[in-house]
Amino acid sequence: MNKRWWYGLLILPLAGTLVPPFYARAQPELFGFPFFYWYQLVWVVLASLFTWIVYVRTRETPHG
Amino acid sequence: MASAVCLILVAAVMVLGFLAARWGNVEIHSIEEWALGGRRFGTVIYWFLLGGDAYTAYTFIALPALAYGAGALAFYAVPYATITYPLAYLFVTRLWIIGKKRGYLTTADFVRERFDSRPLELAVAGTGLLALVPYIALQLIGMQAVLQSLGVGSLNSDVFLIVSFALLAAFTFTSGLRAPALIAVAKDILIYVTVLTAIVYIPMKLGGWHHIFSVAQVALAARPKRGALIIPPGQYFAYSTLVFGSALALFNYPHLITSALSAKNVDVVKRNMALLPAYTLLLGFLALLGFCALAAGIHVKNTNLAVPMLFAKFFQPWFAGVAFAAIIIGALVPAAIMAIGAANLFASNIFRSFSVRGEGAAALPALNAKLLALVMLAAALLIALLIKPEFAINFQLLGGAWMLQTVPAGAIGLFTRWFHPVPLFIGWLTGMVCGTSMGYATHYQSIYTLHAGSFSLSGYIAFYALFANLAVACVGTLLLRAADVDPGRDLTSAADYA
């Protein structure tokens, strides 16, 4: 099946955080936090979410 | 008052450690029961255990200390502890599956069977042991920082450390992994309560985040070694390689592997890779507390005291006691698991106490390993008491670089047998030498600057060492394959990984 494609979601957090030039700046601020800080914190939540999706989507289903 | 609360909580948790021996109604004689909790931990306990294992007392002291001293660079811990989980989702699940099927206790067990190479097995096991020694000692140093903030004199501090380590050794001996698992529940609850309270209450008292970041920026720029609020372009590659290298190495540490293998089934592992990032948010908050210390006007020469002093300043004495207990207990959990992990490496891979492999090995008696755990804890205690903390910290930095060198054999090996064992070994050796010499050359800073003509690139020494390691392993393997040299046996089969 196409279940293997879901694993691609696991690469996204790496892409999002391993290229500092993309996020090493102060603006735009959110709740007083410079972009550099809130961007990386958002990725914590996203990574968790993506990993959960991969877990659910690649599970052995009763008929799968 | 703070000391009293702290002491009561720590004592209560010690009792838990001994009670853990009765948990699950099983006699803890076999190595699998002692070292891996019988491979029976479910999702919730596993979450507490791994969280308590990965986030050590040293983390809680040193990370804010780094933010306090250097600024933005400290935040590398957040993306590092973010991407390590998707990576672990791929690697650790595979190791768990084959580990359960073939009775593995350590990564070196896997390496021995996969590559049929005793030198490679010893290399992986030895690296793990070397990396663990300073790490356990550093937990004691974390505890010392807390005791210092409580105003405990150095003699009393040493007595406290000796007594708590003696108790730790005792309940690790009797209860094995169940002890830190149970204590981790208490530890993590205390840590969450402490950090969440701190991150809401302290900024309120300091006038909000915008103000905190502004003051921190000024304070950091005024340092002799200029810190920064946002990393400058010259540090981009360093930051990126620090994140990636640390993320790859984390789950290869023996104590993380020990915890990881204790799961009841592979779904427990997978679910936790999505749930454990909750701790990463805590980590981010901790780093930010370092900035709060700057904004609060905390002035300390020893940056390790930044957060303890911050807590002492803002918290009611009883709550400061809770916070300090959290950190002290935060040292005991990983120290216990590190001792168990080290004992496993000695018993299974160095001394080869378990001559029977496969499912039978798991039922063998644990006595050898139990005694080795005691030795390990005693050694770490001696080191922490007798040797300058600076030495342990430098050793720990090298340990991180060394652990990354076991990734080709221990982690990449889970997915492919393409590499030949001999180039893998030489690659490992290359990585070890490179990492150690770079560490020495930078006076034990994690970033090394490569120069080529007018071009320079600053990066994480462990990452550079791994690059050299893989280059040698790849070139060596290509040459040997071209010469049709036999790659040796693989005692595992494809079915073992599914």
Side-chain angles (χ1 to χ4, degrees), chain B residues 305-332:
Chain B
L305 294 173
V307 146
M309 291 281 106
L310 182 71
F311 287 171
K313 180 167 177 173
F314 283 92
F315 286 158
Q316 295 294 316
W318 72 269
F319 194 73
V322 170
F324 293 148
I327 300 174
I328 290 177
I329 297 166
L332 300 176

Side-chain angles (χ1 to χ4, degrees), chain B residues 209-233:
Chain B
W209 282 106
H210 186 86
H211 173 76
I212 293 171
F213 279 110
S214 309
V215 176
Q217 182 162 38
V218 172
L220 287 167
R223 292 219 180 290
K225 208 177 161 213
R226 286 190 63 156
L229 199 66
I230 312 284
I231 55 169

